[in-house]
Amino acid sequence: MATLSSSLVLPVLSAKSSAKAHSFLSAKFHLNSLNSSKISGEVIPAQVIAPHRREFLVGIASASVWFRKPLHSEAREVEVGSYLPLSPSDPSFVVFKATPKDTPALRAGNVQPYQFLLPPTWKQTRVANILSGNYCQPKCAEPWVEVKFEDEKQGKVQVVASPLIRLTNKPNATIEEIGSPEKVIASLGPFVTGNSYDPDELIETLVEKSGEQTYYTYVLETPFALTGAHNLAKATAKGNTVVLFVASANDKQWSTSQNTLKAIIDSFQV
């Protein structure tokens, strides 16, 4: 919360705002005059409060609309390296492990916990409520954004979750049962690019297995994408949800950070 000192210059208020504030405090002092006022721990008769003290209090009340404690949603983002643990396998990265406290879908049980690596200088960014799925849990008909992180010099990543029913009618289907890598990216491509998907933008696909989980990995060159000219993606299905992890960069970011972005994508696990 912001603090005020004797050297604080209070904002200039309109005559109307000042009049309202003065009227409010005048009424309060009138009521207090019947008893006594307690200021800074001292009981002092209201009538002996110095005029300049009264004006200072008016200024404090009027300034409360200017100096208030920031809401949580307004909190400044901090580097993830200040609160996430180092990766045991590579100390140049930190580990983000999603838990139910992180997103509405995880709290609702619609998405299984996931994790991935990040450079310690990256920051988590806010997901707009309309994109977060908060308004439609526990039954969302369209994909939503779980979490987002970014770094101005390296790029950005986001986790997108899609209801399984949007891609197949088979409950608890694996990603292989949904279809080929090309079929899956055709359905989810617009959520990679932020606008549209052209099959010609798909440069490379890879199918990987980790235990019982299968992942489809994609490399895309997307010159017209809202997310950036270069996109990497990794998709898998678990439970009733398909989870898509996307790393995006513009040309400048890609030229220096493509290996970092590939390492981030490779680290994704559900």
Side-chain angles (χ1 to χ4, degrees):
M1 178 182 290
T3 57
L4 297 173
S5 68
S6 58
S7 62
L8 174 66
V9 178
L10 295 176
V12 178
L13 302 174
S14 67
K16 184 177 181 180
S17 298
S18 181
K20 285 184 177 180
H22 190 276
S23 175
F24 169 78
L25 282 179
S26 295
K28 184 175 181 180
F29 281 124
H30 175 71
L31 291 175
N32 285 346
S33 65
L34 297 177
N35 300 297
S36 57
S37 297
K38 189 173 183 179
I39 301 176
S40 302
E42 300 177 307
V43 177
I44 303 174
Q47 62 268 26
V48 302
I49 297 176
H52 70 275
R53 180 93 178 258
R54 185 175 299 140
E55 292 303 318
F56 179 74
L57 292 173
V58 170
I60 294 292
S62 302
S64 64
V65 297
W66 294 80
F67 299 96
R68 61 181 176 80
K69 184 176 181 178
L71 298 174
H72 177 70
S73 61
E74 297 172 347
R76 181 180 178 184
E77 297 93 348
V78 297
E79 294 183 352
V80 295
S82 66
Y83 61 90
L84 293 180
L86 292 176
S87 166
S89 59
D90 188 345
S92 63
F93 289 92
V94 295
V95 183
F96 173 77
K97 293 184 178 181
T99 66
K101 69 178 183 179
D102 290 309
T103 74
L106 284 163
R107 288 191 289 275
N110 282 342
V111 175
Q112 299 301 309
Y114 47 84
Q115 68 177 60
F116 49 87
L117 301 181
L118 286 169
T121 57
W122 284 48
K123 297 177 182 179
Q124 186 167 4
T125 59
R126 301 180 187 91
V127 178
N129 190 60
I130 195 171
L131 299 177
S132 70
N134 186 44
Y135 67 93
C136 62
Q137 298 297 337
K139 292 185 179 294
C140 292
E142 292 297 322
W144 64 89
V145 177
E146 281 278 290
V147 293
K148 297 171 68 175
F149 295 84
E150 67 177 23
D151 181 276
E152 286 186 5
K153 296 180 179 179
Q154 295 184 308
K156 54 192 173 185
V157 299
Q158 63 178 339
V159 176
V160 179
S162 173
L164 190 65
I165 192 66
R166 191 176 184 275
L167 301 176
T168 180
N169 291 322
K170 183 177 181 179
N172 298 310
T174 64
I175 195 121
E176 300 104 315
E177 292 172 327
I178 294 174
S180 66
E182 290 76 15
K183 179 181 178 181
V184 171
I185 197 63
S187 297
L188 298 179
F191 300 98
V192 174
T193 64
N195 46 9
S196 60
Y197 169 73
D198 184 340
D200 291 338
E201 296 172 336
L202 181 60
I203 305 302
E204 182 182 340
T205 62
L206 178 66
V207 179
E208 299 177 285
K209 286 191 72 72
S210 178
E212 298 180 356
Q213 202 70 26
T214 300
Y215 298 87
Y216 291 167
T217 302
Y218 305 93
V219 178
L220 303 100
E221 295 294 332
T222 53
F224 305 110
L226 294 179
T227 52
H230 305 271
N231 277 284
L232 304 173
K234 191 173 183 178
T236 193
K238 194 168 187 178
N240 60 0
T241 307
V242 175
V243 183
L244 179 71
F245 186 47
V246 183
S248 308
N250 57 37
D251 288 328
K252 184 178 180 180
Q253 293 166 334
W254 184 255
S255 64
T256 58
S257 305
Q258 57 180 296
N259 290 335
T260 298
L261 296 175
K262 288 177 180 178
I264 294 172
I265 286 289
D266 289 343
S267 70
F268 182 73
Q269 296 178 9
V270 177

